[in-house]
Amino acid sequence: MLTNAAVKAVRPRARPFKVSDGGGLFLHVAPGGRKSWRLRFRRDGHEQLKVLGTWPELDVGGARGARGRFTARSGQVADLAFEIVARRWHAQQRASW
């Protein structure tokens, strides 16, 4: 999980890149230095992307709060957490082990 200090320390590169925070939330860093919070989720089997805001206007806590509010509204993002998916897969595979 990211901290505000870690986000501040991220430097732009020649190509855009992502820094994951977990639960589908990540920081997108553009070559020009712009940092934006984005959320990946699935709706009707298709991957979707929602831009939540830019850093520093929206800090780490604010981005996580926005993710939580979006999750509560849509109910879709909660299924993206790796741990949840992994536990479901493990429970299904357990019988054959």
Side-chain angles (χ1 to χ4, degrees):
M1 299 195 60
L2 293 172
T3 63
N4 283 319
V7 171
K8 185 177 182 179
V10 172
R11 298 290 172 230
R13 300 178 189 162
R15 296 183 141 202
F17 67 98
K18 304 173 190 175
V19 182
S20 178
D21 186 60
L25 180 65
F26 64 91
L27 182 71
H28 179 268
V29 184
R34 184 179 178 100
K35 299 174 185 176
S36 59
W37 292 104
R38 297 181 180 191
L39 182 63
R40 248 186 8 211
F41 61 98
R42 293 186 88 64
R43 181 172 288 149
D44 299 327
H46 299 295
E47 186 174 293
Q48 304 288 315
L49 183 67
K50 178 171 181 61
V51 178
L52 301 175
T54 59
W55 186 88
E57 291 82 20
L58 187 63
D59 66 355
V60 173
R64 289 181 186 146
R67 175 188 62 194
R69 288 187 297 278
F70 183 79
T71 301
R73 277 196 322 261
S74 69
Q76 299 288 326
V77 179
D79 290 335
L80 288 180
F82 177 78
E83 181 179 1
I84 293 170
V85 174
R87 288 185 185 276
R88 287 179 184 168
W89 177 85
H90 184 267
Q92 290 173 348
Q93 299 298 320
R94 192 178 196 172
S96 63
W97 291 339

